[in-house]
Amino acid sequence: MKKQNIKFLITVIFSMISCKSDFLDLANPNVQTSESYWKTEDDALKGVNAIYQGLYYDGTFLRFAQCALDFRGDDTMSPSTWDVMSNTGSFKLFNNTIMQEWLWTAFFGGVNRANLVLDNIENIPFKDQNYKNRLKGEALYLRALNNFYLVSFFNNIPLILKSYKNSGEYFPSQATPEETWTQIMKDFDDASKLLPSGYSNADLGRATKGAALAFLGKSYLFNKRYAEAALKFKEVIDSKIYNLVSNYGENFTESGENNPESIFEVQFSREAGGTTIGWVDVPNADWSKTTARAVTYAPAPFGWNDAAPTKWIFEEFKKEKTIEDQVDPRLKVSIYYNYPDCKLYGQSFQQVYANETDKLGMKKYGNGDSGVIDEKDWRSGINERLMRYSDVLLMYAECLNELGNTGLCADYIQKVRNRVKLPDRSTEFAGFTQAQMREQLSHERALEFAFEGHRFDDIHRWGWLKDPLKLTELKQHDAEFNSYVQGREFFSIPQAEIQVNPNLRQNPGY
């Protein structure tokens, strides 16, 4: 399906030309301005495409967002020689590194682009009201998505609902996290009422009703609003649009992209755009539409080895065998390790790591089985799956447990286990106490979503960082937690932003 997305991706390359009016030379008659733009349906489409472009930056899903999400979990550690990476995993980032700066800049860039569309779309004449609603829904969804990650990373952020040009406010104050979450929920909810359930192949990758509902449910869950979250997850389930694919590994390859399990994924491609890596800057036509996740995570000598599985998650995978007395198949999809016939990038594990046979390497989202010799061209075309149907099933199960329905919770946990042929333990699970079920859900989520950016968010929202017993357990799982201090579950507000904006206050713990 990759080639079917190329038209959409190439359109995105040029989209930001329409959104540069605040800093272009307005005396140049050949320069597009806000006054001459935002006139046609095509202008609105390109404006929306520009928001998607924001997901390709190094501060978003080219690389840094995945690192920020993964490295602080107990399933991942960073042996990187680059302190920006290793300090992210060990909670030692301070006020002025590119990790915080690029996350802040790129995700707020997405918010501003969404606001540009929402500020102007009502003044554009549309022949088809449904088309206008769809584009508006996409802008609302993407504004909510960018704010979802911003508040998750930084907690205390400005809530910006107008483009900088239209708001006239260049030094916004921080909103309360509750205010930001309320707006995120509203945007996802409004988007869910405007977006279609699906698209033709030419538009695969755009936001759908199911994506908006799933992220709305997740936002409610993060705020412990379990009944409301359950209703949204059930709406996704009852739509009958999504299913678990039979082969778990298809969720992390190019060939398995946009499959029935995928609810929203960032579309990457080696065939679209150029070969220049896109950092945090105005995009050009020679930019690659690829991701650097693979080279960042891949074990040396095939990549930079900035991330590695912890011994804990490796052992967690081996706790329970399948009904065929085999290791959980998700282990071999997720991790390179020393087992017979293990190969990576065409080479035998035993030969590559002859002197390091206990080596654990990241495999998920890598190209080690694709025929390439390594990842060092930085150009992986594997889409980043931000929401999978299995996540909806397990989040729904969690809500059911919190609402006192452990029996039905057990059924939904088993649906995910069945895919990888783990024994049917639904009857056993149904007899668990609520606390026991929480522990089981933690285990199930750790295995299903290892290295997918969920684990630290789960740890945080479950309150483990404030529970001395759980924090001790986390330190046993991953020694990087030994340097955790209260407050550093969030990143620091970039010092460069504080110096520019006198209304910003630094987060506690820094």
Side-chain angles (χ1 to χ4, degrees):
M1 292 185 182
K2 181 69 70 174
K3 292 182 179 179
Q4 295 164 336
N5 294 305
I6 291 175
K7 181 178 178 181
F8 166 51
L9 288 162
I10 290 176
T11 301
V12 170
I13 296 171
F14 302 100
S15 298
M16 271 310 292
I17 293 172
S18 68
C19 300
K20 294 163 57 180
S21 62
D22 289 345
F23 53 86
L24 289 174
D25 178 7
L26 301 184
N28 184 344
N30 297 313
V31 168
Q32 190 84 60
T33 69
S34 290
E35 288 70 27
S36 61
Y37 198 73
W38 304 113
K39 303 295 184 185
T40 69
E41 294 182 5
D42 190 54
D43 292 342
L45 172 64
K46 289 177 179 177
V48 169
N49 287 349
I51 318 172
Y52 287 99
Q53 167 67 52
L55 300 177
Y56 292 85
Y57 284 126
D58 203 9
T60 53
F61 292 98
L62 189 150
R63 173 179 56 164
F64 270 16
Q66 294 95 319
C67 298
L69 290 164
D70 274 330
F71 288 11
R72 296 174 296 163
D74 57 348
D75 57 343
T76 309
M77 54 87 63
S78 178
S80 180
T81 56
W82 185 16
D83 59 355
V84 170
M85 295 295 187
S86 58
N87 285 342
T88 296
S90 56
F91 305 95
K92 293 179 181 177
L93 279 184
F94 293 101
N95 296 350
N96 209 27
T97 78
I98 62 173
M99 178 63 73
Q100 302 103 307
E101 289 175 2
W102 286 8
L103 291 169
W104 183 280
T105 299
F107 279 107
F108 267 120
V111 170
N112 190 52
R113 295 179 190 190
N115 284 335
L116 277 166
V117 173
L118 295 169
D119 285 351
N120 291 284
I121 195 168
E122 296 299 339
N123 298 322
I124 297 174
F126 277 78
K127 295 178 182 178
D128 183 347
Q129 185 65 32
N130 289 331
Y131 182 46
K132 175 183 175 181
N133 287 343
R134 190 204 93 187
L135 293 179
K136 184 177 180 181
E138 289 182 75
L140 286 165
Y141 170 86
L142 290 166
R143 181 169 74 178
L145 188 71
N146 279 280
N147 274 322
F148 178 94
Y149 287 109
L150 281 166
V151 75
S152 297
F153 288 141
F154 297 102
N155 198 42
N156 298 297
I157 64 169
L159 180 58
I160 301 172
L161 301 178
K162 291 285 185 181
S163 63
Y164 297 126
K165 183 178 181 65
N166 287 346
S167 71
E169 185 176 9
Y170 292 92
F171 304 106
S173 299
Q174 288 148 306
T176 66
E178 292 76 18
E179 289 170 332
T180 302
W181 278 112
T182 296
Q183 185 63 46
I184 290 169
M185 295 168 194
K186 182 180 186 304
D187 281 353
F188 278 137
D189 189 35
D190 289 346
S192 73
K193 297 167 184 172
L194 296 172
L195 290 170
S197 297
Y199 294 91
S200 66
N201 286 340
D203 282 320
L204 286 176
R206 293 185 179 275
T208 62
K209 180 182 183 72
L213 288 170
F215 270 102
L216 176 56
K218 186 172 183 176
S219 300
Y220 282 136
L221 177 63
F222 274 31
N223 287 273
K224 303 187 186 305
R225 294 167 63 171
Y226 301 113
E228 292 158 291
L231 287 174
K232 298 306 170 183
F233 295 140
K234 192 62 163 59
E235 195 170 342
V236 175
I237 293 166
D238 289 345
S239 73
K240 307 296 184 184
I241 294 172
Y242 308 101
N243 292 289
L244 298 179
V245 294
S246 59
N247 180 355
Y248 174 78
E250 287 182 12
N251 291 306
F252 317 105
T253 64
E254 284 195 74
S255 61
E257 289 168 353
N258 302 302
N259 65 46
E261 187 168 340
S262 178
I263 297 178
F264 187 72
E265 55 191 78
V266 182
Q267 307 289 309
F268 291 107
S269 174
R270 289 178 61 89
E271 301 171 38
T275 58
T276 300
I277 302 298
W279 307 110
V280 182
D281 202 349
V282 178
N284 292 306
D286 65 346
W287 269 27
S288 172
K289 297 302 165 192
T290 52
T291 169
R293 170 201 259 270
V295 70
T296 302
Y297 281 54
F302 307 101
W304 305 141
N305 200 50
D306 289 327
T310 60
K311 183 71 171 177
W312 170 77
I313 191 66
F314 175 69
E315 296 297 338
E316 199 76 0
F317 273 112
K318 298 196 294 182
K319 280 187 173 179
E320 188 175 11
K321 289 193 173 181
T322 69
I323 57 176
E324 298 168 344
D325 199 34
Q326 300 295 313
V327 68
D328 187 325
R330 293 173 295 191
L331 173 57
K332 292 182 180 179
V333 168
S334 304
I335 298 175
Y336 292 116
Y337 67 100
N338 186 14
Y339 65 88
D341 302 322
C342 178
K343 288 190 175 181
L344 61 170
Y345 303 92
Q347 299 187 48
S348 163
F349 181 98
Q350 289 76 20
Q351 291 178 334
V352 174
Y353 301 115
N355 298 318
E356 197 179 358
T357 55
D358 60 349
K359 169 83 172 178
L360 300 177
M362 291 287 195
K363 182 177 182 181
K364 185 179 280 187
Y365 277 119
N367 295 282
D369 293 335
S370 70
V372 299
I373 60 171
D374 58 39
E375 304 282 3
K376 292 183 180 177
D377 68 354
W378 285 65
R379 299 185 64 243
S380 176
I382 301 174
N383 289 357
E384 189 78 23
R385 282 72 160 179
L386 301 190
M387 180 65 71
R388 293 197 286 118
Y389 185 57
S390 62
D391 198 8
V392 169
L393 294 177
L394 289 181
M395 287 190 292
Y396 182 55
E398 183 175 341
C399 291
L400 291 170
N401 184 52
E402 295 302 324
L403 295 170
N405 194 340
T406 54
L408 192 54
C409 169
D411 291 340
Y412 277 91
I413 291 175
Q414 192 59 46
K415 287 178 187 292
V416 176
R417 291 168 54 86
N418 286 343
R419 189 245 300 272
V420 290
K421 298 184 178 180
L422 290 179
D424 187 343
R425 297 175 60 191
S426 54
T427 301
E428 175 193 353
F429 293 161
F432 279 4
T433 65
Q434 188 179 66
Q436 288 173 320
M437 190 66 89
R438 286 173 182 154
E439 290 298 308
Q440 189 63 40
L441 278 162
S442 167
H443 169 78
E444 301 291 346
R445 288 187 62 81
L447 302 191
E448 179 68 16
F449 306 116
F451 326 132
E452 293 183 53
H454 297 301
R455 182 64 179 175
F456 181 75
D457 280 343
D458 286 347
I459 287 168
H460 177 208
R461 67 189 177 81
W462 290 333
W464 287 15
L465 297 172
K466 295 181 179 179
D467 181 332
L469 292 178
K470 281 297 184 183
L471 186 55
T472 298
E473 184 179 321
L474 289 171
K475 292 175 181 179
Q476 294 168 349
H477 294 175
D478 179 0
E480 291 170 317
F481 279 90
N482 286 313
S483 49
Y484 167 76
V485 297
Q486 288 292 327
R488 294 197 186 159
E489 58 270 29
F490 300 109
F491 291 120
S492 61
I493 307 299
Q495 190 62 35
E497 297 294 328
I498 292 176
Q499 289 171 348
V500 169
N501 182 354
N503 293 320
L504 295 181
R505 297 292 179 265
Q506 188 53 270
N507 281 332
Y510 293 95

